[in-house]
Amino acid sequence: MRLSDRILDIAVYFLLTTLVAVTLYPLIYVLFASFSDGDLLMARKGLLWKPAGFSTRAYERALGNPAVWSGYWNTLRLAGGGLILHVTMAILAAYVLSRRNFIWNKFLMLFIVVTMFFNAGLIPFYLVVKDMGIMNTMWALLLPFAVNTFHLIILRTAFLSLPVELEESAQIDGANHLTVLLKIVIPLSMPVISVIMLYTAADKWNMWFIPSLFIQDRTLYPLQLVLREILINNGTDNISFGAGVGEARNIGETIKYATIVIATMPILCIYPFLQKYFVKSAFLGAVKG
């Protein structure tokens, strides 16, 4: 290699290493802080490269909080219901719009794309949900977001990239549209569908703003809303009950970090198993034969 190429490689590796370090350190800090002793953590200044006095009290208090478990259950319902509803609606709509002999194809696509650029605003959205009578229910978090226009367009593009000969041969053998969709289109488009499922699950798992508008019953709070209450409103009094004033304040800090880890860990564990589909979906439809 030439000297200039080596210098360029060193610069690229240095830049990427710096970006990885900057990205990972906040996660590492939160993890180490959650296992730290509250008094030692509050007294420590500067970077944190290991737990400040290893302790699991924050996790014991956080997992002993009933709001965390009810938030987990509500978030699982929200993510599961939203995933089923969103993916089903997106696949069905994308299949119809990907049919080349569909008469209203261009008109409907234009109508759908327009919704990506224009919306009525937050207040009309709130009034519509209120008039539908689904306030303070899970349906307020599911029905308004049943279809994502961007995901719909991605799926339609993926369906259009499939060889039309496969569908024609299946139709010659007597397959109807449902059979073509279930036996040919969906299996061949699983990389794209898997990525959309991950994006949808992560979006539902991290949802907090919409629930804060439509959910008043604390028993229906999703996990992120419980976490927001703990972080912003300093709602650790019930969790740290029984400790002294100074001790409660210090352990309250570690409880916040422990709750962040508890709320984030499921998505971090699922992502590596679906990472391979990102590469497959990127190449799907890139080569035309």
Side-chain angles (χ1 to χ4, degrees):
M1 294 180 61
R2 293 180 300 178
L3 180 60
S4 59
D5 293 335
R6 292 182 180 179
I7 294 176
L8 179 61
D9 288 345
I10 293 173
V12 171
Y13 281 119
F14 176 77
L15 177 61
L16 293 178
T17 303
T18 304
L19 291 175
V20 170
V22 171
T23 303
L24 287 182
Y25 180 75
L27 302 177
I28 296 174
Y29 181 91
V30 170
L31 181 63
F32 286 161
S34 66
F35 283 105
S36 298
D37 179 83
D39 296 329
L40 296 177
L41 180 65
M42 295 295 292
R44 185 180 179 85
K45 303 296 182 181
L47 300 178
L48 187 66
W49 297 109
K50 63 179 182 178
F54 185 82
S55 175
T56 59
R57 292 185 60 193
Y59 285 95
E60 295 172 3
R61 296 297 183 95
L63 294 175
N65 182 15
V68 172
W69 291 108
S70 65
Y72 248 115
W73 171 240
N74 293 330
T75 299
L76 287 175
R77 289 195 300 160
L78 176 60
L83 191 62
I84 295 173
L85 180 63
H86 174 76
V87 174
T88 302
M89 296 293 291
I91 290 176
L92 294 177
Y95 179 78
V96 173
L97 294 173
S98 64
R99 300 307 89 193
R100 295 170 175 81
N101 56 352
F102 184 52
I103 300 177
W104 300 98
N105 199 327
K106 294 183 178 180
F107 171 77
L108 289 178
M109 281 304 303
L110 177 63
F111 184 78
I112 290 172
V113 171
V114 167
T115 63
M116 298 180 64
F117 302 98
F118 301 97
N119 63 78
L122 183 59
I123 295 178
F125 175 49
Y126 179 87
L127 294 177
V128 169
V129 173
K130 182 179 179 181
D131 291 340
M132 291 177 63
I134 57 177
M135 288 284 293
N136 206 32
T137 65
M138 280 294 173
W139 291 112
L141 312 180
L142 295 176
L143 290 181
F145 309 97
V147 178
N148 184 295
T149 306
F150 182 64
H151 293 172
L152 173 59
I153 294 175
I154 291 177
L155 278 177
R156 176 181 179 270
T157 304
F159 292 170
L160 283 172
S161 67
L162 297 177
V164 68
E165 293 79 10
L166 291 175
E167 300 179 20
E168 292 176 349
S169 61
Q171 291 173 354
I172 292 175
D173 293 335
N176 55 23
H177 284 292
L178 183 61
T179 303
V180 171
L181 176 63
L182 297 179
K183 297 297 182 62
I184 297 177
V185 176
I186 292 181
L188 293 177
S189 304
M190 276 309 297
V192 177
I193 296 175
S194 299
V195 173
I196 290 178
M197 290 174 64
L198 178 60
Y199 284 156
T200 303
D203 177 66
K204 300 301 181 184
W205 189 274
N206 295 323
M207 183 180 288
W208 67 270
F209 179 68
I210 298 299
S212 67
L213 294 178
F214 300 133
I215 304 297
Q216 290 82 39
D217 188 355
R218 295 176 61 88
T219 60
L220 295 177
Y221 275 10
L223 184 60
Q224 298 302 328
L225 206 55
V226 175
L227 177 60
R228 178 181 180 274
E229 187 178 60
I230 292 176
L231 294 179
I232 297 181
N233 299 333
N234 200 24
T236 60
D237 296 337
N238 295 332
I239 311 176
S240 57
F241 179 77
V245 177
E247 182 184 3
R249 182 175 64 252
N250 294 342
I251 195 176
E253 291 297 319
T254 57
I255 288 174
K256 293 178 182 179
Y257 292 117
T259 309
I260 293 174
V261 173
I262 293 171
T264 310
M265 193 58 64
I267 294 296
L268 294 180
C269 292
I270 293 175
Y271 178 79
F273 296 99
L274 297 178
Q275 185 179 10
K276 60 181 179 180
Y277 291 112
F278 282 85
V279 178
K280 292 182 181 180
S281 64
F283 285 100
L284 186 64
V287 179
K288 302 296 183 182

